[in-house]
Amino acid sequence: MARKSNEQSLGDVIQDMLKAYRLEGKMQELDVREAWKKAMGEGVASHTKDIRLRGKTLIIYMDSGVMKEEFSYGKSRIIEIINEAMGREIIDKVEIF
């Protein structure tokens, strides 16, 4: 009688655990925060109070009215930059507060 193999890659096991404990979204949010810092630079990151990911919507809280205004005109570019940095389509909408 042949034995069934229970072998899985470590990455698959981690993904299964993240799904089981419903942590996938939080991990993805952390990845997006890192991508934001790298893609936008320290200057912008220093004026970013918080970043949230709700579904496919990136919510950005900034402490500069000028930057809020500037970024509100470049939402489509923000989507492109973050999705490119993540290597897949993570967001399709941006809200700035």
Side-chain angles (χ1 to χ4, degrees):
M1 185 186 275
R3 285 180 100 175
K4 283 187 174 179
S5 174
N6 287 337
E7 291 182 27
Q8 282 185 293
S9 73
L10 182 58
D12 290 342
V13 171
I14 291 171
Q15 284 298 97
D16 289 346
M17 285 181 57
L18 290 174
K19 285 179 188 175
Y21 291 104
R22 297 182 183 155
L23 296 173
E24 271 184 316
K26 285 296 178 190
M27 293 301 292
Q28 196 168 26
E29 186 173 271
L30 290 173
D31 291 342
V32 167
R33 287 178 183 184
E34 283 302 310
W36 176 261
K37 286 179 190 176
K38 287 179 184 174
M40 298 299 173
E42 285 299 317
V44 172
S46 70
H47 290 286
T48 305
K49 294 189 322 187
D50 197 12
I51 292 179
R52 302 284 176 169
L53 188 60
R54 296 292 175 253
K56 290 189 137 203
T57 301
L58 179 64
I59 303 167
I60 305 166
Y61 297 91
M62 304 193 86
D63 66 6
S64 167
V66 173
M67 287 187 139
K68 285 180 200 178
E69 184 75 20
E70 185 77 24
F71 280 104
S72 69
Y73 294 113
K75 290 180 181 180
S76 62
R77 183 67 182 130
I78 291 170
I79 292 169
E80 288 175 19
I81 290 169
I82 297 302
N83 286 337
E84 185 177 313
M86 296 296 293
R88 61 189 190 282
E89 187 178 312
I90 298 294
I91 61 171
D92 61 11
K93 184 178 176 186
V94 173
E95 294 179 6
I96 301 171
F97 298 96

